[in-house]
């Protein structure tokens, strides 16, 4: 799907190395600067600049009416965002942590996702819901969940998650420019990872990105699992196996075209996601790939995911989180020629 | 404003009693004659719409109708106190208020007929889609007002909800956001004594719902919800305050749901007929009729003209709803997002194939 | 998985034909009668007997302290249920409609599902969350959603849905007897469908049920889609195809043993669910079956689901809901011998 | 009770002022000497625990610590007013109150150390797990009290939350349910002026948070949150009322969060050092010390004994947290449900295989 990114970039373009946190901050600042309808709000996003400092300096630079703190109530934040969107604004709201977006769930599902449909397009919802998500930072209970499945399952929501500073910038700009609601999931673990960012580069919502070329097997990952997949690919390469890595990046809608072509070309696939695997984005990807690539598959598509348990406490999270080894194990199981079961097939 | 001024009165504000006699009030003046005449017409039309819709449900032309029979004074006042550029945020029970704002009756009934989820463009008459998830719309109203304030517009927003809805967390968050951001919203609670079957005593132990206002730092007031004059005065004051930068307020109207929750409900299971009868004595229409007649503001001819007007509305509603809907299944895919994703297009093609095959075989069944 | 249903049934057993609504009512009554810790509450469940009359007569028969109305606040209902469960009760709460359970989502995900894990088993949550769900009854917006994916994805929740009055009775008794929280999804469309109920029959949570034997293809369905699957099977039989129907019934945890064995035996499978298909229980089942039965499959596993759109308005819902024809179309696509593509494989 | 009696005072109840002088009050009596001596010991121990935990964070032995430094009077009073069979529902900031109830300090820190999500059996000391999702625990407290009432037990439940948390919908629903069901819950808001960086003025426009009580039909009261004597009196009265069937009430304590929200926070970004300094003058410990000394209820020896006791607690906490945790990864699968599903067993076997392989190669990495 191509969604035209029709922003006229007026601020001078920047090219440079920055953290994902800085890239998101920059995207917010550029959007506020360019479009008077963009407002950023949530808990602690003003003077503090957010608990992760993602909105650092925005209130100071653009004033209290462009970036401001709300009372501590997530349904309130989401519900007022709906009203603002009805009245011509483009709210970008921050949910402080993934589990703390849950009080807003009714507003998201019953209104944010449905208002455009309800009104036959008369009232669209250009809202961006930013949610820091996932683990890997040693956070305590309720601070490390991955709840993308809840949003991706909900018709009407676009759900994206970046794995690089460049995508963080470009996808957030596209999300803010979108006429429809976008859930923008920020991998906390990658906030301080660095990369090159060119602010003139655009990205289309609804598209996957090929993160590494490869010919033997396709690993489909998103967000904080993309570096894990790339690490696995690197190790596999040293063992003589060529691993293609696709950064799914758009969790809804899904870029079937890119993914199907990729898996058909390699004939093998592994899906990697951090969230509990049951009824998840990973299961969806696995099912789709299976169905669309059935005739081309040399082996069953595997998934590597978090366990179907509540997220682990900090001291145990290294056992919970999928790592390169777990990905490599899954790859190893894909009926290779030197593999009896595979050969029998 | 002093803290005590945020508290409502111990008894609801009333200007015309149930027998049509005026009640004098130090704070609130009786609206002028022309306003009251207009209000009366609104009441008659509102009642007619309620009764017509009820009949259409019985005839199977509407799927469901949550009637505001008995609450027409609230409905009419909510609409009349707003200026043209102000906005109304109604619930499923507020069809009469929606229609009073100018929305075509048939468009207001699209949801209840089952054709689509809403049948009017909100911007056209400054009426948000009628909200089903309780109390959620109150937050939308606040955000809407925040945006207006942000742009320096003097829009006032009036948001409706029922007594039961005051128990929802969103009610609390909406009033609190409105007060903290000091935005021009009037929260108007129609306390009709019931939330489906649950009586007010199971919703709150507070002296009144309007006593909640002080907890947000906004004024609360109580008003006789079957007295359109008092409603116009109290809501009018609240709207004026909001428009002049005085911030939000909470108005609780004491009224009664005369019919079952909807046609699907059976109110004999949970309330006495005597209670319903007692409230019939406090009907919002009859007291106004008595009052206007006594004041020489309504004669037989005017009465007939109003009745005829209401009949015309009812007839149009009947006609519109008796016509079969012409629906396009592709609409299911048209409005989900501004641009249709390949994923949805693929699904539409699947359905399109089914529809085509169905039209080849017989009308209706697929295979 | 077998979870012992260790209730001592003291009321005389009943065998007879009844609606699913009556079976649920009976299960609630029997549970209240037998266990003093069981309480039923929610909106309109008292004098009215619930908007679907499922709790009809309970308040009158057992008194206001065993079945009662609450203030109108779903998070309140769920949150107080958590507290009651902490203090030794077995709350059975009713959410009036599926979309109106959403305000309680934070309590469900952050506490109901996690309390047992958080306290290392010291505090379990024997809560049953009854939710009428799904369409097919001409309900207006927000009254016909299918949100099982949200619950099934959440670790710690058991999620079941009956398709027969017998299962409605037996599964609800098992749910109330369970030490853990169970989301009990009631197909509104089947409330008035009738069937034989024997109250001495027990059912284990976590198990699927073979609803019809068959040898050519396995249809996996649950809740209101089971009758649809059975109808399709009946038609297929008349066309000479033997369709096995499995009532999945436990949406979490999943009965892999039964399902895997079944699909391996037929070599073909179709998953049927009413909810939007994307990131859904249907995708999970499809993915699992694919992965576990890969070597046995004659054709890709297909799914027949609701569209990835908000639920249709009443007048359009017949186009939205999966029906027997759609299931038969999916079966037809499964590379049969008389099918060129299938033969080529 | 008259409606006006539901409103709090205009100024918080105080019995001992910041300089340690008594303030006379018509309604609330000063607690007896022995109680105040016990309270003082609690304050000193609480402060020591706060400071020790803060140090342990710096040493990397605790992942995070939301300190109640400055709020110890609230913490100690909340614990002391409860009887043995009463229950406390605390938040992440209430570790001192939790420990005051008898929970071992090291067990209270399990969450913050990162070993597990909670470290004590709630039933042992009648303390619910510390709640992180704001205001959610207030509903648990209400349900807990409903169950106690249902069984005819006279348990009182005291539920804690912060000023920011009063903005959440769950706060509203909890107070409303408690009032409607008339259950024995004391809602105790520690208004420490901030929710992380957000000041009280962004949470509410109300005259006070205690003014919310009347909107639920329960009494609200305000109290100096750094005056343990006043807290004991006001909370004690609320607990007595609840126990004797008088229903729920709301108490707001005016206090101050002297440190940053947690170690991860930087409070120089949003508040003046002068403000913090001004509150240091109102410290809950020093005023009690001055008071007790002046009354002859505390001498050097007693002071030293108390300090030594606090030091012993701190040392035990240090020792416990300096010990490396012995954690079993299988715990991830043990408690999700009472019985482990085949689905989870399969996943555990996967992990077990990895762990075994890891132990065969090197310690830590898998492959
Ligand atoms: C969040 C939510 N919960 C439950 C319902 C179901 N429901 C529809 S109307 C109603 C009663 C509402 O009572 P009240 O607010 O007093 O309004 P009234 O119908 O009396 O006008 C209920 C429980 C709903 N629509 N939304
Ligand atoms: C539902 C929810 N939203 C957001 C958070 C993140 N958060 C943790 S503490 C806090 C501030 C709480 O302020 P307050 O209630 O005043 O308590 P205090 O920390 O001052 O004791 C926030 C926003 C959370 N824990 N839960
Ligand atoms: Mg009502
Ligand atoms: Mg605070």
């Amino acid at each position: 799907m191509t969604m035209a990114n029709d922003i006229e970039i007026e601020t001078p373009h920047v090219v440079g190395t920055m953290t994902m946190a800085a890239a998101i901050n920059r995207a917010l600042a550029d959007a506020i600067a360019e479009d008077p309808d963009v407002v950023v709000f949530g808990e602690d996003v003003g003077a503090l600049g957010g608990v992760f400092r993602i909105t650092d300096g925005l209130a100071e630079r653009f004033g209290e009416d462009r970036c401001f703190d709300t009372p501590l109530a997530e349904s309130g934040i989401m519900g007022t965002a709906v009203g603002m969107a009805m009245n011509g604004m483009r709210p970008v709201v921050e949910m402080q942590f993934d589990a703390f977006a849950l009080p807003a769930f009714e507003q998201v599902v019953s209104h944010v996702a449905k208002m455009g449909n309800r009104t036959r397009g008369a009232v669209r919802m250009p809202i961006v819901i930013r949610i820091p998500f996932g683990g890997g930072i040693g956070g305590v209970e309720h601070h490390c969940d991955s709840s993308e499945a809840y949003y991706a399952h909900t018709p009407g929501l676009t759900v994206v998650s970046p794995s690089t500073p460049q995508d963080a910038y470009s996808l957030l700009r596209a999300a803010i420019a979108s006429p429809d609601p976008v859930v923008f999931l920020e991998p906390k673990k990658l906030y301080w990872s660095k990369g090159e960012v060119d602010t003139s580069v655009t990205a289309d919502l609804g598209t996957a990105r090929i993160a590494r070329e490869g010919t033997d097997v396709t690993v489909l990952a998103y967000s904080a699992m993309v570096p894990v997949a790339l690490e696995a690919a690197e190790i596999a390469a040293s063992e003589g196996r060529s691993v293609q890595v696709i950064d799914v990046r758009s969790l809804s809608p899904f870029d079937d075209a890119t993914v199907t072509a990729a898996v058909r070309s390699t004939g093998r696939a592994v899906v990697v996601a951090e969230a509990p695997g049951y009824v998840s984005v990973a299961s969806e990807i696995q099912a789709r790939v299976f169905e669309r690539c059935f005739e081309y598959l040399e082996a069953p598509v595997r998934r590597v995911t978090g366990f179907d348990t509540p997220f682990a406490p900090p001291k145990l999270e290294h056992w919970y989180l999928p790592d390169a080894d777990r990905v490599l194990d899954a790859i190893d199981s894909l009926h290779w020629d030197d593999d009896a079961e595979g050969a029998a097939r | 404003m002093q803290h005590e001024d945020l508290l409502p009165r111990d008894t609801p504000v009333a200007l015309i009693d149930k027998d049509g006699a005026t009640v004098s009030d130090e704070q609130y003046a009786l609206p002028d004659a022309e306003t009251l005449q207009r209000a009366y017409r609104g009441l008659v039309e509102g009642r007619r719409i309620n009764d017509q819709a009820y009949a259409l449900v019985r005839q199977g032309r509407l799927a469901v109708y949550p009637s505001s029979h008995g609450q027409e004074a609230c409905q009419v006042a909510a609409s009349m106190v707003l200026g043209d550029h102000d906005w109304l945020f109604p619930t499923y029970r507020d069809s009469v208020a929606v229609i009073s704002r100018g929305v075509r009756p048939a468009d207001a009934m699209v949801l209840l007929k089952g054709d689509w989820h809403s049948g009017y463009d909100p911007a056209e008459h400054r009426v948000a889609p009628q909200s089903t998830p309780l109390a959620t719309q109150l937050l939308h109203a606040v955000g809407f007002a925040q945006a207006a304030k942000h742009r320096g517009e003097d829009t006032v927003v009036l948001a409706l909800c029922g007594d039961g809805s005051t128990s929802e967390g969103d009610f609390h968050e909406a009033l609190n956001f409105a007060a903290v951001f000091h935005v021009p919203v009037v929260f108007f609670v129609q306390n009709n004594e019931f939330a489906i079957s649950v009586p007010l005593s199971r919703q709150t132990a507070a002296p009144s719902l309007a006593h909640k206002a002080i907890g947000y730092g906004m004024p609360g007031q109580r008003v006789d919800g079957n007295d359109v004059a008092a409603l116009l005065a109290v809501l009018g004051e609240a709207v004026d305050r909001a428009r002049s930068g005085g911030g939000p307020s909470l108005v609780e109207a004491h009224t009664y749901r005369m019919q079952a929750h909807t046609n699907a409900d059976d109110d004999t299971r949970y309330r006495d007929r005597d209670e319903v009868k007692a409230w019939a004595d406090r009907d919002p229409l009859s007291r106004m009729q008595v009052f206007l007649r006594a004041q020489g503001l309504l004669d037989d001819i005017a009465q007939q003209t109003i009745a005829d007007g209401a009949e015309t509305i009812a007839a149009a509603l009947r006609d519109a709803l008796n016509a079969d809907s012409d629906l396009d299944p592709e609409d299911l895919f048209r409005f989900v997002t501004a641009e249709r994703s390949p994923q949805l297009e693929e699904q539409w093609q699947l359905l399109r194939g089914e529809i085509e095959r169905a039209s080849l075989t017989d009308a209706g069944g697929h295979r």
Side-chain angles (χ1 to χ4, degrees), chain A, chain B:
Chain A
M1 183 175 56
T2 52
M3 282 186 173
N5 183 335
D6 53 8
I7 310 161
E8 271 203 74
I9 308 272
E10 287 158 18
T11 44
H13 290 151
V14 171
V15 185
T17 301
M18 59 179 88
T19 62
M20 184 181 287
I24 298 173
N25 179 276
R26 174 86 205 187
L28 293 170
D30 288 353
I32 295 175
E34 288 166 26
D35 184 344
D37 295 331
V38 172
V39 280
V40 171
F41 55 96
E43 293 158 10
D44 302 291
V45 299
L48 182 63
V51 292
F52 291 104
R53 308 292 182 272
I54 303 300
T55 57
D56 193 22
L58 297 181
E60 203 177 356
R61 180 164 158 212
F62 298 104
E64 257 273 338
D65 64 332
R66 303 301 299 283
C67 176
F68 54 88
D69 292 328
T70 65
L72 211 174
E74 294 78 11
S75 188
I77 293 168
M78 201 64 74
T80 54
V82 169
M84 287 188 210
M86 292 177 80
N87 200 358
M89 313 289 292
R90 291 184 172 269
V92 181
V93 302
E94 175 174 308
M95 298 281 116
Q96 200 160 80
F97 284 87
D98 183 281
F100 308 145
L102 299 176
F105 201 58
E106 180 191 30
Q107 288 285 353
V108 172
V109 174
S110 289
H111 292 301
V112 174
K114 288 183 173 154
M115 187 68 82
N117 187 63
R118 177 180 307 143
T119 60
R120 303 179 71 87
V123 181
R124 300 236 69 99
M125 291 279 110
I127 296 174
V128 177
I129 307 172
R130 292 181 42 239
I131 311 182
F133 87 125
I137 58 155
V140 297
E141 202 194 9
H142 300 113
H143 288 76
C144 295
D145 298 301
S146 292
S147 55
E148 62 269 31
Y150 301 142
Y151 302 106
H153 177 62
T154 305
L157 298 179
T158 297
V159 184
V160 296
S161 187
S163 74
T164 65
Q166 178 67 62
D167 268 359
Y169 181 88
S170 304
L171 287 173
L172 184 51
R173 293 305 305 268
I176 297 173
S178 168
D180 292 307
V182 179
V183 177
F184 189 83
L185 296 163
E186 302 175 0
K188 291 192 283 283
K189 200 191 165 185
L190 301 184
Y191 268 151
W192 314 115
S193 68
K194 287 190 175 171
E196 193 80 352
V197 175
D198 177 344
T199 63
S200 70
V201 170
T202 61
D204 288 330
L205 303 175
T207 62
R209 182 177 65 84
I210 296 178
R212 179 187 171 113
E213 297 291 355
T215 51
D216 295 338
V217 51
T218 304
V219 175
L220 300 153
Y222 56 90
S223 208
M225 289 299 110
V226 174
V228 171
L230 289 170
E231 186 194 337
E234 198 63 38
I235 300 172
S238 73
E239 294 170 355
R241 213 162 255 169
S242 169
V243 177
Q244 181 190 43
V245 177
I246 295 196
D247 180 350
V248 169
R249 128 183 141 160
S250 175
L251 313 191
S252 177
F254 192 73
D255 184 353
D256 284 308
T258 302
V259 169
T260 303
V263 177
R264 286 186 179 177
S265 80
T266 62
R268 289 183 172 85
V270 171
V271 184
V272 188
E274 177 180 327
Y278 196 70
V279 186
S280 68
V281 172
S283 27
E284 176 63 41
I285 299 174
Q286 189 183 20
R288 287 182 103 75
V289 167
F290 253 128
E291 195 170 351
R292 285 155 202 261
C293 305
F294 188 66
E295 310 296 330
Y296 300 81
L297 290 175
E298 305 289 339
V301 180
R302 298 285 180 206
R303 60 176 130 159
V304 173
T305 67
F307 303 120
D308 296 328
T309 68
F311 193 82
K315 294 261 176 70
L316 288 171
E317 73 172 348
H318 62 288
W319 293 118
Y320 182 94
L321 294 168
D323 61 6
D325 286 330
R326 210 174 275 167
V327 176
L328 289 165
D329 287 349
I331 291 174
D332 286 349
S333 78
L334 299 180
H335 302 185
W336 300 93
D337 294 344
D338 52 329
D339 171 308
E341 202 190 347
R345 202 180 131 72
Chain B
M1 197 175 262
Q2 296 293 302
H3 296 169
E4 307 78 63
D5 295 345
L6 303 178
L7 289 171
R9 294 190 189 176
D10 278 339
T11 52
V13 176
L15 296 179
I16 299 178
D17 73 14
K18 71 181 178 48
D19 302 316
T22 55
V23 183
S24 75
D25 192 282
E26 287 191 359
Q27 190 181 349
Y28 297 100
L30 200 67
D32 63 41
E34 191 267 328
T35 302
L36 293 174
Q37 286 169 318
R38 265 204 301 138
Y40 179 66
R41 196 182 68 225
L43 293 176
V44 173
E45 291 173 0
R47 174 66 49 85
R48 189 68 192 86
I49 290 165
N50 275 327
D51 294 347
Q52 179 61 67
Y54 189 82
L56 285 163
V57 167
R58 300 192 145 209
Q59 293 152 24
R61 307 305 307 185
L62 278 179
V64 63
Y65 186 69
S67 176
S68 64
H69 188 117
Q71 302 176 216
E72 290 92 350
C74 295
Q75 297 286 301
V76 167
S79 168
M80 281 182 66
V81 294
L82 293 180
D84 231 33
H85 296 285
D86 295 335
W87 274 71
L88 184 78
F89 279 71
T91 76
Y92 53 89
R93 193 173 303 289
D94 302 312
S95 300
V96 167
V98 169
I99 294 168
S100 302
R101 285 287 289 169
V103 173
R104 276 186 53 224
D107 291 349
M109 301 286 166
V110 161
L111 167 73
L112 305 169
K113 188 181 179 192
D115 285 359
W116 198 255
H117 313 295
S118 179
Y120 51 90
D121 178 349
E124 198 179 338
H125 298 281
R126 275 74 60 204
V127 180
Q130 288 177 259
S131 182
T132 302
L134 300 170
T136 56
Q137 74 282 0
L138 305 178
L139 281 163
H140 307 166
V142 174
F144 198 96
Q146 279 180 280
K149 186 177 170 182
H150 175 81
R151 285 198 300 267
E153 297 160 2
D154 73 345
T155 315
V156 172
V157 180
L158 190 145
L160 290 159
C161 79
D163 47 310
S165 304
T166 65
S167 298
E168 290 279 7
D170 274 7
F171 172 87
H172 174 72
E173 300 188 12
L175 269 74
N176 194 43
F177 271 61
V180 165
F181 291 115
H182 203 70
V183 289
V185 180
V186 177
F187 297 98
F188 180 31
V189 179
Q190 289 171 78
N191 171 1
N192 63 7
E193 297 282 339
F194 284 92
I196 308 186
S197 70
V198 181
L200 185 66
S201 59
R202 198 24 75 99
Q203 296 299 341
T204 186
S208 83
L209 294 171
H211 276 83
K212 294 184 184 293
I214 192 171
Y216 306 101
M218 66 172 76
Q221 192 53 288
R222 310 168 64 184
V223 54
D224 180 340
N226 287 10
D227 174 355
V228 78
L231 283 158
L232 287 167
V234 171
L235 289 173
E237 189 211 36
V239 168
D240 289 347
R241 179 189 307 112
R243 199 181 315 282
S244 60
S249 55
L250 171 64
V251 176
E252 175 189 12
H254 293 265
T255 181
Y256 196 78
R257 197 192 73 212
M258 294 299 292
Q259 294 175 344
H261 172 67
T262 67
N263 46 298
D265 182 33
D266 173 8
D267 67 337
T268 62
R269 287 179 166 244
Y270 55 80
R271 64 183 183 181
D272 271 354
R273 291 309 93 190
D274 289 351
E275 183 181 302
V276 182
K277 274 199 210 104
W279 275 90
D281 278 352
R282 307 182 52 182
D283 188 67
L285 273 72
S286 54
R287 76 174 70 177
M288 275 306 284
Q289 191 180 350
V290 172
F291 168 81
L292 291 175
R293 291 241 177 210
Q295 304 282 315
L297 297 171
L298 182 73
D299 58 18
D300 287 351
I301 298 175
Q303 178 81 48
Q304 192 57 47
T305 312
I306 290 172
D308 290 350
E311 210 44 55
T312 308
I313 294 170
L317 184 58
R318 262 192 324 267
D319 289 350
L321 294 191
N322 282 329
D324 280 332
S325 314
D326 181 22
L327 301 177
D328 180 355
E330 192 178 353
D331 281 0
L332 291 176
F333 301 90
R334 278 208 173 94
F335 312 111
V336 183
T337 43
E339 200 178 325
R340 198 179 306 179
S341 68
Q343 194 175 318
L344 282 188
E345 179 59 22
E346 194 179 296
Q347 296 177 15
W348 161 236
Q349 292 305 333
L350 178 95
L351 176 58
R352 201 165 69 104
E354 290 180 4
I355 294 171
E356 273 167 15
R357 273 189 293 148
S359 71
L360 288 182
T361 54
D362 54 49
H366 306 187
R367 193 159 169 135

